Amino acid sequence: MENLRRRDFITSLFSLSFPIIFPVSALGKTLGNVRVELPDYLFQEYLLTGKEKGGKILIIGGIHGNEPGAYKASEILKSVKVKKGELIIAPRANVVSILANVRGYNGDMNRKFQYLSNKDPDYERVQKIKELIAETKPDVVLSLHDGFGFHAVNRKAWGQCIVIDEKVYKGFHLGRIAEAVSKSVNRRIEKREWKIPVYNTHTFSPSTKHPEQRKSLTYYCLSKQNVPAFCLETSKQLPSLRLKVLFHLMMLKEFFEIYGVEISPDFDVLEKEIDKFLAPAKFYSVKAEINGRTVEISSGKTFYLHKGSYFKVLSCHGTEGTNVICKDVNLNWRSFHIKRRVALTLKDDFRKIFDFRVVVV
Ligand SMILES: [Zn+2]
């Protein structure tokens, strides 16, 4: 019985991955291996402008890749219309870490704003964020995170709080604004540990307990660009992604009111529609070019290619968070050669959609 089951399993595996052999084209000719090309990791940025004059808010999501509440809440806002003011959103600041679903695939990006070698794999992304702030000159930068634990019941935890670097800095009343947001959102939160207090790291003070924060985005905004900045933190330990997004939207609603940005639909509507925004796409596929021929891949398949071939992913279809990664190589590489085989994974942010393989024959 055991053997039979095993044989059935193996047969079904083979029938799933039926061999497709592609001829070698002159174009893809390389010696003794197959070239794999994946789409670049794009830095997503959106600029939404209202008809009415108002404030200007810049939202940075996904600096840490394993904080989906942060990047999903940022992404939801790119679907709205701005009625008053301006809204600039970079929802997936650290896309490689989001697809890897780790805090920082190339180290902690929120420690890269003071100094960074131009050889660092995150260099371009960090530069993009800095340029975005310099070019748009927002009234405020909001850096979204899902921290660990619950600050209301553990003062050392970074989850569920609004982080400020100082109460007042360069005339910016960070403490007063954060306290006003905290007070408003906490009226709606009953559970004690889920309440969102203000966490002052005193980053500019010589006696700060958090000197590492001097390498962060918010410190960079305040010290180098003269722009007030806040970290909005929900908790990784909240029971659902929906709740993480909800708490982000609740905080954002208050910041939007303070800084004079109005959106349509408003936050009350967005809060009711969170599940719709978090739903996976109805259909996912990958368009690839193999030795000059285009193929559409919508499930796990194995492609058997002769040496000298190339396999190029042209585009991915699904959501804005959909891309292909290859865990068999360094995730920063988007073009490489293989000698035997690799597994490629279509991902929608943290979700794995399906694997497909390229085998050299
Ligand atoms: Zn974070």
Side-chain angles (χ1 to χ4, degrees), residues 12 109 154 185 231-232 236 242 244 256 302 310:
S12 69
M109 189 190 266
N154 173 7
V185 293
C231 258
L232 315 191
K236 283 188 174 70
R242 199 190 71 82
K244 294 174 196 173
F256 275 43
T302 299
Y310 71 92

Side-chain angles (χ1 to χ4, degrees), residues 183-226:
K183 207 172 153 190
S184 293
V185 293
N186 284 338
R187 264 190 229 120
R188 298 176 58 197
I189 302 172
E190 277 183 25
K191 217 174 153 105
R192 196 180 144 232
E193 60 181 3
W194 290 1
K195 286 196 183 281
I196 300 175
V198 177
Y199 185 2
N200 185 352
T201 54
H202 301 282
T203 321
F204 289 88
S205 157
S207 58
T208 179
K209 288 182 183 130
H210 300 285
E212 77 285 352
Q213 290 296 320
R214 293 180 185 146
K215 301 173 183 173
S216 71
L217 169 63
T218 55
Y219 185 88
Y220 168 80
C221 291
L222 286 157
S223 62
K224 295 279 180 337
Q225 303 252 19
N226 304 320

Side-chain angles (χ1 to χ4, degrees), residues 249-263:
L249 293 180
M250 283 166 62
M251 286 187 270
L252 289 167
K253 178 184 176 182
E254 304 302 327
F255 275 103
F256 275 43
E257 214 167 294
I258 291 168
Y259 282 94
V261 175
E262 272 178 37
I263 56 171

